[in-house]
Structure formats: structure tokens, C-alpha cells
Amino acid sequence: MAGLGIDGLASSLETTSIITQLMQLEARPQTLLKTKLTATTSFLADLRSLNTAVAGIATSAKDVGSSASLALFSATASSDAATATARTGASAGSVTFRVQQTAQAQSIVTGAMTKWGSDPAVLTIKGADGTLTEITAASTSLEDVAAAINSAGAGVTATRVASGKAADGTAQYRLQLTAAQTGSAGAFTAYRGAKADVAAGTAPSLLAESGADQVAAARDASIVLWEGSSAEQTLTSSTNTFAEVLGGTDITVAKAATEPVTVTVAQDGNAASAVASGFVAKLSALFGTISVKSKVTPSTNAAGTPIVSAGSFTGDSTVRQLKDALLTAVIDPVEGKSLSTIGISVTRDGSVSFDAAKFGEALKSDPAGTQRMFSAAAARVQEVAEDASDSLDGFLTSKVTGQENAVKSLNENIAAWDLRLAKRKDMLQRQYTAMETAMSSIQSQSNWLASQLAALTPTSN
């Protein structure tokens, strides 16, 4: 019955419009709840974003708060005969040396052949440490022999190379075997035959065969330190990189040279400044977000009436507590000195700024003191940020949880109102339908009575 059109059935009233207006009045509490839900949901989203940013600040503060976070070094070489790279743990210093030779991988070629000389095709590779690797190819074709060597894990790669034709016109090939590792550590010997034959001394070396030769010998890289002095010393490396000539620095030789090379390791002020600048920039961005979302903006509505729009964080004590604590962590002196002495300052608008030139000067004049001040400030910021954003008991996290519960409660109340309003609307529709039905019945009875009375009245002739 509730779905029937009942407008003006007997009363000529627009009952559908009346019910709609009545339901709008009935729904006013739910409308207020929906408005509050929209505002709470927006506030919750901003709080979650802020909490994530604060957690990021905590992580960043922990990363840069170590006692060596600014101890960054760069290495330079005086010649293109070598390059140098400072690693974590490097320290200032320099060393001079001459590049005697670079590292080289052993490479040999076999004599020309149309196929492997024995079936099955078996050979053995002996590594520099004496390890024997026996290899059996799928067939006597040199392509299969090369494939078997490459998959054997013997520290040697093989390539089949065209080598003209035999007297009968058959295509000939050579195998080029190259050590996977440079230097003496990659040296190898290749034998025709099985491991047992090598152990017995009966397996011939491939280099002993006609037309075979060693293209490149295994060679370590070597540098000469303090050449010409009584302390002269030669260092070798199986690769072109020397890792421990200067602690924490990799020196890679590129070519032999007669002129000495000087490698210098010094503190990298630009890199250290970038660490501090990046940390301050994250704090500044966080303060900027809080400031924007705490702003009160006056304006006028469509009717010209003055109104005030507040940001989602305006007047929120938890957000204010967070900002005040972070600013205090930056403002408070370290060892009796303000952080402004190393280029980190609090601005008038409640943010932080970084002076790279001032920081660089402080780092240059007192690297240890600058490191202590920066690490202490980072540790204080880390403590505040963790207290706020801890996933279990952070005060900002608790605020987020509270707002999540508020959103859940509002949704439940709105859903309950949906049921209540649906029942109310159904009741109104039934009441007005009953009214229209009753009035229609009364009108029918009235019409019948009128007709009966008319029938009883005598007519004039």
C-alpha cells in the first residue's frame, strides 16, 4: 500500500509532498550526523597523513642521528691511471703509488679441428687451486663441447671460432677458452681426457697440441708504493681493485703508468651538508603542513555575511602538542650552544631553515663538535616523533584510533536512522492512505444519501 499513488484520492491534498516535507523534518538529526561524518572523515584522513609523515621523520632522524652520519668522505686520484671511491668507514688520508700492471684473464685457443678428437668428447679443466672438473659434451661437435664447458661451472668460458677449411673442404674451428676471473686466481689448464687420466699424468694438455697457443696469461694487477725508497713495496690484486690500501677506499687501476698516482681521501662537506639539509627539509615540510591545516580563513557567504573557515587542525591540542615538542627539540641548545651556530634555525612562522654556508663553515672548523650537535638534535627529534607515531601507544596514533572509532560510531548511527526513517515513512504513507480511503467512503455514503433524499422529495406537476 505504501507504494501506491494516493495524491488527491478524496481529499485533493498533495499527500506525497506532505510526506516528503515531514520526512525532511524527521531526517534532520541524521543530516547533522552525516555532516559531522564528512568533517570527521576528512579530519581522520589528515591525521593519518600526518602520522605517516611523523613516522617518516622518526626513521629519518634515526638514520642521520648516528655519531658518524656526517663523516662522509670522497676520494680523488691525480691521474687517469687509477680511480678511487670512498666507502662507508673511510677516513682522511692519501697515498702515492705507481701502477705497474693491470689484471688480466688467461685465455687460450686450441688448434684447428673439424670435431673433437675422441668420442665421447671428454676434457678436464684444472683450476688454480688444483680442482679438477671433468666435462663430457653431448657430441663431438665443437659447438656442443663449448656448450658443455660453459655449463660446467669450471670457471672457464668457451667460444667456438671459425678457422677456415680442412684440405677436404670441411669447415674447421678453434675453441677459445677464457678464465671467468682475472689474475692468478683464475688461472687454469685444460686437458684432453678424464680426471683419472689427469691424475695419472696421461692426459695431454690442449696447449701441447699443434696450432694451440696461450693468447693471454693470467696476471695480477700490481702497484708499487714508495718506489725508490727503502720502504718500497709491491701490492698485488687478482682484480684491478685494491680495497685496503687506504681503509674504506677502493682504488681501481686502469692502465700501467710510469708516473706516480696520488689518491687523496678528504671529508666531503657537500655530502654532509646534503644529509643535514634533507633532514631539515623534512621537518620544514611537516611544519608547513600543520600550519596550512591550522589556518583560519575569513570570507563571506553568498549572502554577503562574514564567515570564518577553519582548517582541520585548527585548535587541536594533540597536533599543537606535536608541533611544540618538535620545535623544542630543535630550539633547545646542545652543549650550551644554539643549533643556529651550525646553520639550523627556527623561523618566525614556526618552521625551521637550513643555512648550507654556515653549516659548511661549522663542519670545516669543528667537525666533531658539529657532528655532536647535529646528532643530539636528531636524537631529540627521533624521540618526539616516536612518542607521537608509535604504532602501539603513540599519542598521535591514539588520536587516529579515536577518530576511527568516531567514524565507525557515526556510520552505525546513520544506518540506524535509515531504518528508523524507513519505518516512519511507511507509517505516514499508511496513515494518509487510510485517511484517503476513509474520506472516499464517506463521500460515497454522502452521495448515496443525497440520492435517496432526492428520491423522497415529491416532484411538482
Side-chain angles (χ1 to χ4, degrees):
M1 181 179 296
L4 296 176
I6 58 176
D7 283 356
L9 182 66
S11 66
S12 298
L13 296 174
E14 294 183 5
T15 50
T16 300
S17 177
I18 292 172
I19 292 173
T20 299
Q21 293 179 47
L22 288 172
M23 289 306 301
Q24 288 175 348
L25 292 173
E26 294 278 355
R28 287 182 67 181
Q30 188 192 49
T31 301
L32 293 175
L33 287 175
K34 288 180 177 179
T35 301
K36 187 174 182 180
L37 174 63
T38 299
T40 305
T41 301
S42 177
F43 180 47
L44 174 59
D46 288 341
L47 275 180
R48 282 173 172 166
S49 179
L50 180 64
N51 202 30
T52 299
V54 173
I57 290 290
T59 300
S60 180
K62 182 178 181 180
D63 292 340
V64 304
S66 70
S67 59
S69 62
L70 304 180
L72 303 175
F73 293 83
S74 60
T76 58
S78 63
S79 165
D80 62 358
T83 58
T85 304
R87 305 189 310 270
T88 301
S91 57
S94 67
V95 66
T96 300
F97 57 88
R98 181 176 63 83
V99 182
Q100 192 173 56
Q101 64 184 27
T102 57
Q104 181 174 270
Q106 180 183 358
S107 182
I108 68 172
V109 291
T110 67
M113 61 186 88
T114 58
K115 62 180 181 178
W116 194 256
S118 61
D119 191 3
V122 179
L123 71 155
T124 298
I125 303 293
K126 183 178 182 180
D129 61 355
T131 300
L132 298 176
T133 304
E134 185 176 307
I135 302 168
T136 302
S139 74
T140 58
S141 78
L142 293 190
E143 189 173 20
D144 283 345
V145 174
I149 294 172
N150 290 333
S151 62
V156 175
T157 60
T159 306
R160 188 188 71 162
V161 183
S163 185
K165 293 184 178 181
D168 61 358
T170 305
Q172 290 184 314
Y173 300 92
R174 293 173 183 259
L175 283 181
Q176 177 175 303
L177 305 182
T178 304
Q181 182 180 348
T182 59
S184 57
F188 67 92
T189 307
Y191 297 92
R192 189 185 291 272
K195 288 169 62 174
D197 300 325
V198 175
T202 58
S205 169
L206 292 183
L207 277 178
E209 298 179 354
S210 175
D213 201 0
Q214 181 164 267
V215 178
R219 184 178 72 201
D220 288 340
S222 62
I223 59 175
V224 182
L225 280 69
W226 312 299
E227 191 170 24
S229 73
S230 59
E232 180 177 314
Q233 178 181 348
T234 300
L235 300 180
T236 62
S237 172
S238 61
T239 69
N240 283 322
T241 298
F242 294 79
E244 297 302 330
V245 178
L246 285 176
T249 302
D250 290 335
I251 297 174
T252 302
V253 297
K255 63 180 181 180
T258 57
E259 295 298 321
V261 180
T262 299
V263 169
T264 303
V265 181
Q267 187 166 21
D268 191 338
N270 290 334
S273 181
V275 169
S277 176
F279 177 62
V280 173
K282 289 181 180 179
L283 274 175
S284 179
L286 181 70
F287 290 141
T289 297
I290 292 175
S291 177
V292 168
K293 294 187 180 297
S294 300
K295 188 177 295 185
V296 175
T297 306
S299 61
T300 55
N301 59 19
T305 304
I307 58 173
V308 174
S309 300
S312 57
F313 294 157
T314 302
D316 187 83
S317 60
T318 302
V319 176
R320 185 169 58 252
Q321 174 189 354
L322 169 66
K323 183 177 181 179
D324 290 346
L326 287 173
L327 282 174
T328 299
V330 179
I331 291 174
D332 282 357
V334 177
E335 299 178 355
K337 295 181 181 179
S338 168
L339 287 178
S340 62
T341 60
I342 64 170
I344 301 174
S345 304
V346 175
T347 63
R348 275 198 270 178
D349 61 354
S351 186
V352 287
S353 65
F354 181 76
D355 187 330
K358 201 168 187 178
F359 183 85
E361 291 172 2
L363 189 65
K364 187 175 181 180
S365 62
D366 185 9
T370 302
Q371 176 70 77
R372 287 196 304 273
M373 293 186 70
F374 181 72
S375 295
R380 292 189 309 218
V381 169
Q382 178 187 348
E383 182 179 2
V384 172
E386 288 179 344
D387 284 347
S389 64
D390 184 84
S391 59
L392 295 178
D393 57 3
F395 64 82
L396 190 57
T397 303
S398 298
K399 181 80 170 184
V400 170
T401 302
Q403 292 304 302
E404 288 173 340
N405 291 335
V407 168
K408 180 180 178 182
S409 177
L410 286 168
N411 278 316
E412 290 174 349
N413 287 337
I414 290 170
W417 266 99
D418 283 337
L419 295 175
R420 188 181 307 170
L421 291 172
K423 290 180 179 179
R424 177 59 175 163
K425 184 177 182 180
D426 182 67
M427 184 185 73
L428 288 173
Q429 287 176 330
R430 290 179 182 275
Q431 287 177 339
Y432 276 91
T433 299
M435 180 192 74
E436 293 289 345
T437 303
M439 290 183 69
S440 176
S441 177
I442 292 170
Q443 287 179 353
S444 295
Q445 291 178 4
S446 175
N447 292 336
W448 181 82
L449 287 173
S451 66
Q452 293 299 313
L453 290 172
L456 293 175
T457 303
T459 59
S460 60
N461 294 323

